[in-house]
């Protein structure tokens, strides 16, 4: 992050191995792509934050690709946008699992800032039926080992203080998120420089 650096975001088709990202957006497209995510993405770009934003729709059964793994590993802050249909996407869950793993291995360098979009942390902790049905369907297709890992990742992220977006407009909310991310990036940059 920083003034003078390009604010152009790389897309999944053109992932460059030399690019580091400030923010990786993780979301279920049909739930949030045209509204919250589009607005947040552009606000982050305007603030000169390097954002990884996957514009491709993913198909059932596809594995998380090397480009996405690298983008996750090269990002500083992960912003999973946990919506009502989030758990129905194995792709979102694979990305989330990888983010949680990266955070475990580099806790001082990575941060997860969840957005609870029309869901509550208790839904993500699997204390309601909202995600449980989707995970049961995934177990039939991907097996219990994969779904247990995804459940663990969901519960782990649900423990993190995030933002709840329910019954409010997006504009003020997005400004709040962008401001918080900017502050966290400045602290990280300062910490890295002072080492």
């Amino acid at each position: 992050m920083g003034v003078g650096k390009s604010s152009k975001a790389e897309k999944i088709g053109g992932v460059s191995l030399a690019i580091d990202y400030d923010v990786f957006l993780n979301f279920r497209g049909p739930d949030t792509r045209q509204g919250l995510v589009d607005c947040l993405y552009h606000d982050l770009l305007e603030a000169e934050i390097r954002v990884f934003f996957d514009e491709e729709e993913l198909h059932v059964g596809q594995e998380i690709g090397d480009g996405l793994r690298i983008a996750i590993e090269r990002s500083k802050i992960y912003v999973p946008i946990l919506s009502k249909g989030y758990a129905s996407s194995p792709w979102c869950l694979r990305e989330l699992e990888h983010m949680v793993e990266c955070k475990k291995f580099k806790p001082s360098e990575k941060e997860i800032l969840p957005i609870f979009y029309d869901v509550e942390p208790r839904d993500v902790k699997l204390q309601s039926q909202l995600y449980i049905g989707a995970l049961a369907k995934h177990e039939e297709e991907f097996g219990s080992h994969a779904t247990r890992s995804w459940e663990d990742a969901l519960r782990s992220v649900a423990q993190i203080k995030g933002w709840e977006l329910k019954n409010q407009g997006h504009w003020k909310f997005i400004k709040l998120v962008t401001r918080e991310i900017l502050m966290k990036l400045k602290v990280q940059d300062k910490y890295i420089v002072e080492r």
Side-chain angles (χ1 to χ4, degrees):
M1 194 202 80
V3 178
K5 289 188 181 176
S6 170
S7 62
K8 181 181 180 291
E10 293 292 318
K11 312 271 194 254
I12 184 69
V15 171
S16 167
L17 300 182
I19 298 292
D20 285 333
Y21 301 96
D22 296 316
V23 174
F24 184 96
L25 295 176
N26 165 254
F27 59 93
R28 182 172 179 269
D31 293 354
T32 61
R33 181 183 305 276
Q34 300 302 318
L36 175 68
V37 171
D38 183 60
C39 295
L40 177 59
Y41 167 70
H42 286 94
D43 200 58
L44 292 170
L45 286 182
E46 286 178 18
E48 296 187 4
I49 296 171
R50 293 169 300 200
V51 181
F52 184 88
F53 175 70
D54 182 6
E55 288 192 311
E56 292 182 9
E57 283 296 327
L58 302 164
H59 303 287
V60 173
Q62 283 185 319
E63 296 268 333
I64 183 170
D66 287 341
L68 278 173
R69 281 188 186 281
I70 291 167
I72 291 169
E73 290 161 10
R74 292 187 169 269
S75 297
K76 297 175 185 175
I77 295 176
Y78 308 124
V79 180
I81 300 162
L82 302 148
S83 56
K84 288 182 179 177
Y86 183 91
S88 68
S89 168
W91 193 265
C92 287
L93 295 168
R94 285 184 187 116
E95 288 180 4
L96 188 72
E97 177 186 22
H98 195 56
M99 287 181 246
V100 169
E101 287 171 9
C102 289
K103 169 74 174 151
K104 281 181 190 171
F105 289 117
K106 296 185 178 181
S108 65
E109 296 176 26
K110 309 290 184 185
E111 190 153 5
I112 300 173
L113 303 177
I115 295 175
F116 301 95
Y117 182 76
D118 284 336
V119 300
E120 296 177 10
R122 68 181 293 278
D123 299 318
V124 181
K125 289 177 189 172
L126 307 176
Q127 295 175 347
S128 76
Q129 290 300 311
L130 187 60
Y131 285 6
I132 291 174
L135 288 163
K137 288 179 185 175
H138 293 325
E139 188 168 357
E140 293 172 14
E141 185 174 350
F142 300 102
S144 61
H145 178 72
T147 52
R148 270 200 281 290
S149 294
W150 297 342
E151 288 171 4
D152 291 346
L154 286 166
R155 286 187 181 107
S156 174
V157 168
Q159 298 296 327
I160 299 168
K161 174 86 170 104
W163 297 282
E164 289 188 48
L165 178 58
K166 249 185 176 176
N167 304 319
Q168 60 180 303
H170 292 172
W171 187 81
K172 281 184 178 178
F173 180 81
I174 286 168
K175 293 296 181 190
L176 171 76
V177 171
T178 300
R179 187 170 48 248
E180 182 73 20
I181 288 172
L182 277 169
M183 287 177 13
K184 288 186 177 295
L185 289 170
K186 285 179 183 173
V187 168
Q188 283 183 354
D189 286 348
K190 182 179 178 191
Y191 177 73
I192 290 168
V193 170
E194 290 181 353
R195 272 189 173 171

